[in-house]
Amino acid sequence: MEWSIHQVAGIAGTTSRTLRHYGDEGLLEPSRLGANGYRYYGRDELVRLQRILLLRGLGLGLPAIREVLDRPDAVEDALEEHAARLRSERDRLARMIASVEKTITAVRHGGDIMAEDMFDGFDHTAHRAEVEERWGREAYARGDAWWRGLDAGERAQWKARVSRLSADWAAAAAAGIAPDSPEAQELARRHVDWLRGVPGTPAGTADGDLKGYLAGLGQMYVADERFAANYGGLDGARFVRDALAHYAASNL
């Protein structure tokens, strides 16, 4: 028995784009390609996909998953590494909670707010492995150097800018305006200006493929629920994707 890529995506709760990406990475080859170019998967491929999704759920990156699948004795090492990352994340979250609680206490009782305490635990390196996996080590290194070069006030200002932009996107999507409307296109312009301020990305380099980068980001916003949540959910992410695509087609 075989299933099409769309059927598998629906059954597994993932996306066709993700399945194609796994194939491109050599993790999950289809059992065959149809005459129309569609990918079909058999029982063995579904079993392999189940293992991939389980390991992804445990937080392993694609290189580690490939090693586990290709060398079963690597499972223990991979899980040990993941456990270490989880312990580190637990400690970071504990510091973040303490930081926020200090701020609450200061605001509630009118005490002094210590800037150096406010951002303890807000670790921008938490997603390093994922960034390097998607865009390469050089992109991460340049972005990391840029972020570390900002002082506490500049970092707070940057976070506030991102928060405002996300909130405005979500509000526009909820209002039901069209992606090609002047309001949506102004948001797209702001979004591109924001991206251009991040070194190491195609938006932050003079010779980068900004149009392709926007298209890829738009798809990622829709495919990854963590990004969709920034824009009010899946419908909001689709709205951002479509507005960015129209902006790119009209201005780039």
Side-chain angles (χ1 to χ4, degrees):
M1 186 174 181
E2 289 183 323
W3 295 265
S4 72
I5 188 171
H6 299 296
Q7 289 174 316
V8 172
I11 293 169
T14 185
T15 66
S16 298
R17 178 177 177 273
T18 296
L19 295 176
R20 286 191 292 270
H21 180 59
Y22 290 162
D24 294 341
E25 293 294 320
L27 286 174
L28 183 69
E29 297 293 339
S31 59
R32 70 177 178 91
L33 292 177
N36 54 5
Y38 277 18
R39 304 182 186 204
Y40 291 87
Y41 301 85
R43 177 183 177 278
D44 290 345
E45 287 72 37
L46 261 62
V47 171
R48 188 175 176 90
L49 175 60
Q50 184 185 54
R51 295 182 65 195
I52 292 171
L53 295 178
L54 173 62
L55 294 169
R56 283 296 271 170
L58 290 174
L60 272 65
L62 296 188
I65 292 175
R66 184 182 300 107
E67 185 178 3
V68 169
L69 294 177
D70 294 343
R71 187 167 64 86
D73 61 334
V75 174
E76 184 176 346
D77 291 341
L79 291 177
E80 284 287 352
E81 179 183 348
H82 178 58
R85 287 203 301 267
L86 287 176
R87 286 191 289 269
S88 176
E89 178 69 4
R90 178 194 61 195
D91 294 342
R92 186 183 71 84
L93 288 174
R95 298 199 314 273
M96 184 182 291
I97 291 170
S99 171
V100 173
E101 287 178 342
K102 287 180 182 178
T103 301
I104 291 172
T105 300
V107 171
R108 182 174 294 160
H109 300 290
D112 292 334
I113 293 178
M114 304 300 292
E116 59 269 25
D117 293 334
M118 290 179 65
F119 301 101
D120 186 26
F122 289 81
D123 183 7
H124 73 284
T125 67
H127 302 291
R128 175 176 181 172
E130 185 172 358
V131 171
E132 290 183 343
E133 180 182 303
R134 288 181 182 272
W135 294 294
R137 292 184 177 181
E138 182 180 353
Y140 174 82
R142 293 179 63 182
D144 178 65
W146 162 76
W147 183 254
R148 291 182 187 277
L150 302 179
D151 61 31
E154 290 170 328
R155 291 179 184 179
Q157 186 177 30
W158 180 264
K159 291 176 182 179
R161 180 184 181 186
V162 174
S163 179
R164 285 195 302 271
L165 182 58
S166 297
D168 290 347
W169 272 122
I177 67 175
D180 60 352
S181 67
E183 297 89 345
Q185 290 304 289
E186 172 60 18
L187 283 172
R189 183 198 64 75
R190 285 172 54 194
H191 202 92
V192 172
D193 285 348
W194 164 58
L195 292 172
R196 281 178 167 147
V198 183
T201 70
T205 56
D207 57 349
D209 179 16
L210 179 54
K211 193 171 184 178
Y213 182 54
L214 289 178
L217 283 179
Q219 292 298 334
M220 186 174 67
Y221 294 160
V222 173
D224 193 320
E225 61 183 13
R226 295 171 301 172
F227 290 100
N230 292 326
Y231 306 112
L234 185 56
D235 288 341
R238 291 194 183 106
F239 172 69
V240 176
R241 177 198 62 190
D242 295 344
L244 290 176
H246 184 81
Y247 181 88
S250 302
N251 299 278
L252 301 178

